[in-house]
Amino acid sequence: MNHQPTRRHLIKISAAVAASSVLLAACGTNDPATEEEGQVTIRFTWWGGDARQKATQKVIDRFNAENPNIKVVGEYSDWLGYWDKLATQVAANDAPDIIQMDEKYVREYGDRGALLDLKKLTLDTSDIEEATLKSGEVEGKLVGLVTGVAAFSIAVNPVVLEKAGVPMPDDTTWSWDEYKELGQKISQSGTGATGVGVSYNDTDLYIWARQNGDRLYDDSGNVVIKPETLISFWKHLQELSKSGAGDKPSVIIEGAAASLNQTKMATNQMGFSAIFNTQLTAYSAASGTQLKLLRLPGESGAKERGAYYKPSMFWSVSSRTKHQKATEKFLNYLNNDQGAAEIMLTERGIPANARLREAILPKLSASDKEAIDFTNAIAKDVRPAPPITPAGGSVILDVLGRYTSDVLFERLTPEKAAQPFIDELSSSIRK
């Protein structure tokens, strides 16, 4: 879930999908699903670790046992080999019927016609919140069925706060200024802990933009963020660092590349840090402390609340599948069957299906339960997810990192960095 595509992967994928797009337009299977006679075999591909592989195979075996006329064959890869293999399969018109899809790649494939519009199938999505369901749409076509969700949040270490003599904040009203002030108190408490983390990925920027009435991309994939929004974002990061609430620039940049287990939050050396709520179990296990989740600062006074449900991944279907009806049945099973959900639990994120979220609670750890409780608690406050990353847009992770480093080390002022950042990101977007 947390891996990011490389430029090499995206270039190869774009070329492979482009090479097959003419054939897809001419030969794609786009008619409504029809009944099929005899046994049908469909291919299902996914990436992930050993736990995901074993759980997914159990789900497949259970489905196959209950549906003797459909045989689902799994094709598993690790992350590094998955996208190269898929690009090759698509270019050869040999794509699997069902594809586990990452948000960064949905538009790469969807724009070229490689993915079926799932609205052509009869899928029960009634238990998925409408805005979350729309996160898989490209130009009005549903090319990705969201499997699970995560929400950006603030993790807090109660032990660090107690040692520093800092009270737990009211996360329904706290502001970014209060976040900084609490961080200063922790950093100055003499306990050796740093107050707050200073993070700057695309989610941080998107939420900051929305709280300030702005957007990163529009619905057509254009970069529309205003220079003044970027300037205020970088000034905020500078202030966290310079005030002592957060670390010095060198530590911030070094920490951004650290593994989860090596972060200050995971080693009980930090009070607050931005994480996805689905990471709570991993951070708590690494620290040996039961961390807590808080809402994002600034929400109550924002021009628009920034919180949203981020799709952990999607199910997509090849537009060339010859077995739409069988694929439809398996997708409904993955999305709605309680038995399948009790096998997968939170392996692909907190289930986007609200009914299944409740059903799996008795089988979850305390941290996983808290993550689900948090997801449910903010349901009335979340806003629609941002538009799917435009083709070429994954370079934002590199571009934003470089400009933020230059700003923190004062090689560039926020004012001097804003327009070049916009120009560079815009030039990478492929139309």
Side-chain angles (χ1 to χ4, degrees):
M1 176 180 166
N2 297 316
H3 295 289
Q4 297 294 349
T6 64
R7 182 186 293 268
R8 180 179 65 84
H9 281 135
L10 283 162
I11 291 173
K12 181 171 183 178
I13 286 168
S14 183
V17 179
S20 61
S21 60
V22 174
L23 288 174
L24 286 166
C27 307
T29 307
N30 291 313
D31 295 328
T34 57
E35 295 290 348
E36 297 165 291
E37 298 181 358
Q39 188 180 66
V40 170
T41 297
I42 58 175
R43 295 158 56 208
F44 171 34
T45 187
W46 72 92
W47 76 85
D50 186 59
R52 181 178 299 167
Q53 190 276 331
K54 291 179 179 178
T56 305
Q57 191 58 54
K58 286 182 181 179
V59 169
I60 291 173
D61 292 343
R62 185 172 179 270
F63 177 85
N64 286 343
E66 295 176 4
N67 297 273
N69 290 331
I70 302 174
K71 182 180 180 181
V72 178
V73 176
E75 298 181 3
Y76 163 75
S77 298
D78 62 20
W79 172 268
L80 293 177
Y82 184 84
W83 299 105
D84 287 342
K85 179 180 177 181
L86 183 61
T88 300
Q89 290 173 322
V90 169
N93 296 318
D94 187 37
D97 298 277
I98 299 176
I99 303 163
Q100 181 177 295
M101 184 63 64
D102 184 78
E103 188 273 340
K104 290 290 191 292
Y105 292 101
V106 170
R107 189 171 285 274
E108 291 284 344
Y109 284 99
D111 277 355
R112 304 281 188 170
L115 304 179
L116 182 71
D117 181 2
L118 300 180
K119 292 178 182 179
K120 296 179 181 295
L121 305 181
T122 303
L123 299 176
D124 180 4
T125 59
S126 58
D127 290 310
I128 300 178
E129 197 269 335
E130 183 178 359
T132 303
L133 184 65
K134 285 183 175 293
S135 65
E137 288 191 1
V138 171
E139 303 297 334
K141 295 180 180 180
L142 184 66
V143 294
L145 178 63
V146 60
T147 69
V149 295
F152 213 44
S153 60
I154 300 295
V156 56
N157 189 317
V159 174
V160 171
L161 265 63
E162 183 178 359
K163 288 181 178 179
V166 172
M168 190 70 70
D170 179 354
D171 68 341
T172 64
T173 61
W174 68 332
S175 65
W176 287 109
D177 283 340
E178 185 178 353
Y179 184 70
K180 179 187 70 175
E181 292 163 4
L182 291 170
Q184 288 176 299
K185 291 178 181 177
I186 294 171
S187 296
Q188 296 166 4
S189 66
T191 62
T194 300
V196 302
V198 181
S199 58
Y200 51 89
N201 61 37
D202 53 338
T203 304
D204 292 289
L205 179 58
Y206 178 82
I207 287 171
W208 183 268
R210 186 144 71 176
Q211 285 188 345
N212 285 275
D214 201 359
R215 291 290 189 276
L216 181 55
Y217 304 111
D218 64 17
D219 290 339
S220 298
N222 301 302
V223 180
V224 295
I225 192 167
K226 298 180 178 65
E228 53 265 35
T229 303
L230 282 163
I231 291 168
S232 67
F233 175 71
W234 281 320
K235 286 186 174 180
H236 164 67
L237 300 185
Q238 284 181 323
E239 185 59 26
L240 289 178
S241 178
K242 289 182 178 181
S243 69
D247 282 313
K248 295 180 179 179
S250 58
V251 180
I252 294 170
I253 301 302
E254 182 180 351
S259 66
L260 184 150
N261 288 351
Q262 296 174 326
T263 62
K264 286 192 172 184
M265 181 55 69
T267 54
N268 296 300
Q269 300 177 71
M270 183 170 284
F272 301 94
S273 181
I275 68 169
F276 282 104
N277 66 327
T278 49
Q279 297 175 302
L280 180 65
T281 296
Y283 275 100
S284 294
S287 68
T289 301
Q290 186 57 52
L291 307 182
K292 302 294 182 183
L293 294 172
L294 301 177
R295 291 172 173 81
L296 297 166
E299 290 285 82
S300 62
K303 292 182 179 179
E304 181 182 352
R305 290 182 183 271
Y308 64 95
Y309 291 147
K310 181 185 184 299
S312 54
M313 58 196 72
F314 300 92
W315 300 129
S316 293
V317 173
S318 169
S319 61
R320 294 182 63 81
T321 182
K322 297 178 180 179
H323 307 296
Q324 288 191 31
K325 200 64 181 179
T327 297
E328 172 187 285
K329 190 164 189 176
F330 188 54
L331 278 183
N332 273 314
Y333 171 80
L334 290 173
N335 184 57
N336 295 299
D337 187 84
Q338 182 172 331
E342 289 176 347
I343 294 171
M344 291 307 309
L345 297 177
T346 60
E347 179 55 43
R348 286 186 169 88
I350 293 171
N353 183 310
R355 175 178 57 82
L356 296 184
R357 282 205 296 268
E358 295 299 320
I360 66 174
L361 276 174
K363 294 181 174 290
L364 298 179
S365 68
S367 293
D368 280 335
K369 287 180 180 177
E370 182 170 346
I372 286 186
D373 287 344
F374 182 84
T375 301
N376 293 334
I378 65 172
K380 293 182 179 179
D381 297 326
V382 294
R383 296 297 183 265
I388 289 177
T389 300
S394 67
V395 299
I396 188 175
L397 300 169
D398 172 61
V399 177
L400 182 58
R402 284 190 285 104
Y403 280 97
T404 299
S405 178
D406 284 343
V407 168
L408 289 176
F409 282 108
E410 299 186 329
R411 293 187 289 261
L412 281 176
T413 65
E415 291 81 1
K416 292 290 187 181
Q419 193 59 51
F421 168 86
I422 294 170
D423 292 342
E424 184 172 346
L425 182 59
S426 296
S427 68
S428 75
I429 303 301
R430 293 190 291 278
K431 297 295 185 181

